[in-house]
Amino acid sequence: KPAGTPRLLLIGGVEDHLAPMDMCRRLYEACSLPHGARAIWYVEGAQHLQAFEVAPLEYEERVVGFLEGFACDAGKVVSQTA
């Protein structure tokens, strides 16, 4: 995947009434990025902005895993954070 490839990870809370799951799903479906460059995850028991609080380990695994797929271009690190 070339450096600078757009990507989108939507994280929605099942109990979120400010940005309900249907809104997340519609945004995901409207996105023209290929499936490998976009993902959606609904967090059980999470209200608005509570995904990390409700599921911190899975949150970290999913976000890092999603971003790692875009961190390298032809074996060379494109960006690195400390």
Side-chain angles (χ1 to χ4, degrees), residues 12-42:
V14 172
E15 306 300 323
D16 188 343
H17 299 288
L18 184 60
M21 289 182 359
D22 182 58
M23 181 186 295
C24 242
R25 181 189 52 77
R26 285 184 283 141
L27 286 169
Y28 179 82
E29 290 173 354
C31 181
S32 63
L33 294 172
H35 288 287
R38 62 182 166 136
I40 189 167
W41 171 42
Y42 298 113

Side-chain angles (χ1 to χ4, degrees), residues 34-54:
H35 288 287
R38 62 182 166 136
I40 189 167
W41 171 42
Y42 298 113
V43 182
E44 285 287 333
Q47 293 181 23
H48 194 65
L49 300 176
Q50 289 186 330
F52 182 78
E53 181 181 329
V54 170

